[in-house]
């Protein structure tokens, strides 16, 4: 018995933890600025900002402020952005037709970003209808039902408007069946073979989207998104969604949210060779901000731990509202 204990102690994992330097050289997971995608909410106006009460530290921005911010962020090493449009109530209607407007808020900022930063910046756009429909759903609403197939052409035309404006990557977040194929066909048919599709392939009907819906004014007026977004209790179904989207031509897959779904990130990572993004969503950001404001957790440490966990689980890329502060503060 005594010998057994002694023998076991020839193995001492603590040897590799004795100093910061040795911990750093054996560290298995690193998070690099290139992996971080900064989301932006763009107002349909030349300039001005509007704070987001439930997302401290972030503003909705007009084009002038957004261009300036993206320039500064590039200096920190943030090379990609995800753009969300805020069209304003006047531009909302029953089918979300404002989403396909070539002069809408997303195409306008995309043109300006590509003009200013060219290929130094990867411009990704969220493709959905919910910020543009008066009912706040992500597809066509008919008698209380979200109509899948009639939504596809509207979504594909939305992606085309973004691609025409110069978007590098379009990211459909609607969760209609068949949308990746519909977008690919529409893009290819219009000379955009090189525009990539990042699929929100595995997107759960999550309570963590609350602060985003405040920011984007995109909460459904009635009902919820459970007939199109995934049930948080499911994991095999995630593989089905990911497999379908890959077959339809997705260039990137995404799992969303991130922290409550690290097991899903790991599973998708193991099953696909596509680049995989994790979306560290609004509620995950706001939860950290709130608890830090209380003085109950240290922000730098907890953000670093969270972002490393996502990469450790298998994410290549992270869409995160923490990107700028994490890099500026050298939290990683
Ligand atoms: C639009 C969309 C949403 C998010 C990204 N795109 C909201 C939703 O599906 O209700 C959520 C992002 C976040 O919470 O940070 N479909
Ligand atoms: Zn939507």
């Amino acid at each position: 018995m005594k010998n057994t204990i002694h023998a076991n102690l020839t193995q001492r994992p603590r040897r590799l933890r004795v100093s910061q330097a040795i911990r750093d050289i054996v560290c298995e997971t690193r998070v690099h600025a290139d992996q971080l995608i900064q989301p932006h909410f763009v107002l349909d106006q030349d300039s001005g900002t509007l704070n987001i009460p439930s997302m401290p530290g972030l503003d909705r921005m007009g084009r002038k402020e957004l261009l300036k911010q993206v320039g500064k962020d590039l200096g920190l090493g943030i090379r990609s952005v995800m753009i969300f449009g805020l069209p304003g109530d006047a531009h909302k209607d029953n089918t979300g037709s404002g989403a396909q407007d070539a002069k809408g808020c997303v195409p306008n900022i995309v043109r300006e970003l590509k003009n200013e930063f060219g290929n130094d910046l990867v411009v990704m756009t969220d493709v959905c209808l919910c910020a543009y429909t008066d009912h706040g759903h992500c597809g066509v609403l008919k008698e209380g039902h979200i109509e899948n197939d009639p939504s596809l052409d509207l979504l594909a035309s939305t992606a085309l408007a973004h691609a025409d404006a110069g978007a590098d990557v379009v990211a459909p977040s609607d969760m209609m069946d068949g949308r990746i194929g519909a977008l690919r066909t529409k893009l290819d048919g219009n000379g955009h073979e090189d525009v990539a599709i990042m699929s929100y392939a595995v997107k759960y009907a999550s309570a963590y989207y609350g602060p985003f819906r405040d920011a984007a004014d995109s909460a459904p007026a009635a009902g919820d998104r459970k007939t199109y977004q995934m049930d948080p209790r499911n994991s095999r179904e995630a593989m089905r969604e990911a497999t379908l989207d890959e077959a339809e031509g997705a260039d990137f897959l995404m799992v969303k949210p991130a922290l409550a779904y690290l097991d899903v990130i790991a599973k998708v990572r193991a099953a696909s060779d596509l680049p995989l993004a994790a979306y560290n969503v609004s509620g995950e950001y706001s939860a950290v901000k709130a608890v830090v404001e209380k003085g109950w957790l240290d922000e730098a440490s907890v953000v670093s731990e969270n972002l490393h966990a996502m990469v450790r689980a298998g994410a290549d890329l992270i869409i995160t509202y923490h990107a700028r502060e994490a890099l500026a503060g050298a939290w990683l």
Side-chain angles (χ1 to χ4, degrees):
M1 200 56 184
K2 205 174 171 201
N3 273 346
T4 317
I5 289 165
H6 191 71
N8 282 346
L9 283 175
T10 62
Q11 292 291 332
R12 291 183 183 269
R14 289 186 56 192
R15 286 185 194 120
L16 300 185
R17 299 181 199 136
V18 295
S19 68
Q20 188 65 48
I22 201 160
R23 290 192 292 274
D24 286 346
I25 67 166
V26 301
C27 140
E28 299 174 34
T29 307
R30 295 168 214 276
V31 181
H32 190 273
D34 288 348
Q35 295 174 280
L36 303 182
I37 302 167
Q38 178 77 50
H40 290 287
F41 298 102
V42 64
L43 294 165
D44 195 9
Q45 54 198 53
D46 288 333
S47 65
T49 61
L50 195 58
N51 74 335
I52 308 169
S54 56
M55 300 182 76
L58 287 181
D59 283 332
R60 293 168 274 204
M61 286 177 266
R63 287 180 284 276
K64 192 175 126 214
E65 286 79 7
L66 206 150
L67 277 174
K68 223 172 119 190
Q69 184 68 62
V70 170
K72 280 200 229 161
D73 292 350
L74 260 173
L76 288 172
I78 300 178
R79 304 171 77 178
S80 59
V81 293
M82 179 70 79
I83 303 293
F84 295 93
L86 306 173
D89 282 342
H91 295 279
K92 298 192 189 218
D93 62 23
N94 186 250
T95 58
S97 59
Q100 296 107 49
D101 185 356
K103 293 198 171 66
C105 50
V106 172
N108 283 345
I109 191 67
V110 167
R111 270 188 294 272
E112 291 200 20
L113 286 168
K114 290 310 286 187
N115 231 353
E116 182 87 11
F117 304 111
N119 282 340
D120 290 342
L121 182 73
V122 179
V123 175
M124 308 183 176
T125 59
D126 182 86
V127 173
C128 204
L129 303 179
C130 53
Y132 302 84
T133 50
D134 49 21
H135 48 75
H137 278 290
C138 304
V140 173
L141 179 68
K142 205 173 154 197
E143 289 155 18
H145 183 255
I146 310 303
E147 304 271 294
N148 193 87
D149 300 7
S151 303
L152 296 179
D153 196 55
L154 298 178
L155 291 161
S157 300
T158 301
L160 178 59
H162 297 179
D164 282 342
D168 300 294
V169 180
V170 289
S173 63
D174 52 281
M175 288 298 277
M176 297 301 124
D177 293 334
R179 77 234 209 259
I180 303 303
L183 260 66
R184 191 69 270 160
T185 303
K186 178 77 91 180
L187 292 170
D188 291 355
N190 288 276
H192 291 304
E193 295 86 354
D194 288 336
V195 171
I197 299 175
M198 175 182 282
S199 176
Y200 284 69
V202 183
K203 177 173 176 179
Y204 287 93
S206 170
Y208 283 101
Y209 307 152
F212 174 97
R213 291 178 192 168
D214 294 343
D217 186 25
S218 67
D224 53 43
R225 303 209 201 290
K226 291 180 185 172
T227 68
Y228 44 106
Q229 298 179 352
M230 277 184 50
D231 188 323
R233 296 172 295 186
N234 292 351
S235 143
R236 287 196 307 268
E237 190 186 359
M239 306 316 294
R240 188 171 182 217
E241 285 284 2
T243 304
L244 282 169
D245 287 3
E246 182 161 353
E248 288 176 33
D251 299 285
F252 301 79
L253 298 175
M254 187 203 300
V255 173
K256 173 185 176 197
L259 289 170
Y261 300 90
L262 294 176
D263 57 326
V264 179
I265 293 173
K267 264 178 89 171
V268 175
R269 162 77 300 142
S272 172
D273 292 327
L274 293 183
L276 177 60
Y279 198 143
N280 180 208
V281 300
S282 59
E284 297 174 322
Y285 171 87
S286 301
V288 168
K289 286 290 181 186
V291 81
V292 164
E293 202 176 286
K294 285 270 195 188
W296 292 344
L297 289 175
D298 175 63
E299 186 170 19
S301 314
V302 98
V303 168
S304 173
E305 189 170 330
N306 285 350
L307 297 180
H308 279 87
M310 295 168 207
V311 172
R312 192 191 65 234
D316 302 300
L317 296 155
I318 306 173
I319 303 160
T320 180
Y321 303 96
H322 295 294
R324 175 182 313 125
E325 284 183 295
L327 294 173
W331 295 350
L332 303 171

